[in-house]
Amino acid sequence: MTITITPSARERMHHFLAHTPNAAGVRFGVKRTGCSGFAYVVDLASDLAEGDQSLDVDGVRLIVDAKSLPLVDGTVIDFQRQGLNAAFVFHNPNATGECGCGESFTVG
């Protein structure tokens, strides 16, 4: 299992974790939604659930649920600012397509 976090994404995650010291880590995964099938989920995790995988990625504890593991393996998580917008951006080698708005993706 490999997930990479860019320095800007790591800084943003550390910012959120510093303001929520009781968080178990950052939950990263996918949920079924959107016009292409899956959307990414990045949120603070309050605890570990059964089947969760905990990964230390450059000093950030990432928590990934078992169903998301094969869909996010190899993903690079970035954080980008463009004008007034700021968001996490995902480069996922498992994605075979994305919807036009970039909010959801498909896998082969």
Side-chain angles (χ1 to χ4, degrees):
M1 175 60 146
T2 303
I3 297 174
T4 306
I5 301 173
T6 67
S8 60
R10 182 178 59 245
E11 180 181 321
R12 187 67 172 170
M13 290 178 185
H14 278 300
H15 171 79
F16 284 122
L17 289 167
H19 287 86
T20 312
N22 61 338
V26 176
R27 182 164 297 282
F28 174 56
V30 298
K31 65 179 180 178
R32 285 200 169 274
T33 189
C35 47
S36 289
F38 295 100
Y40 296 102
V41 175
V42 178
D43 202 355
L44 293 175
S46 58
D47 57 10
L48 284 146
E50 187 175 330
D52 281 349
Q53 185 83 30
S54 178
L55 309 164
D56 182 353
V57 182
D58 294 329
V60 174
R61 185 177 185 196
L62 282 183
I63 300 169
V64 183
D65 67 272
K67 291 180 185 175
S68 296
L69 281 172
L71 300 173
V72 298
D73 188 22
T75 298
V76 176
I77 305 172
D78 193 11
F79 182 77
Q80 297 179 355
R81 293 183 185 277
Q82 292 182 321
L84 297 175
N85 298 319
F88 286 105
V89 177
F90 309 96
H91 306 283
N92 185 343
N94 303 303
T96 57
E98 293 181 342
C99 68
C101 64
E103 291 293 318
S104 60
F105 69 99
T106 58
V107 293

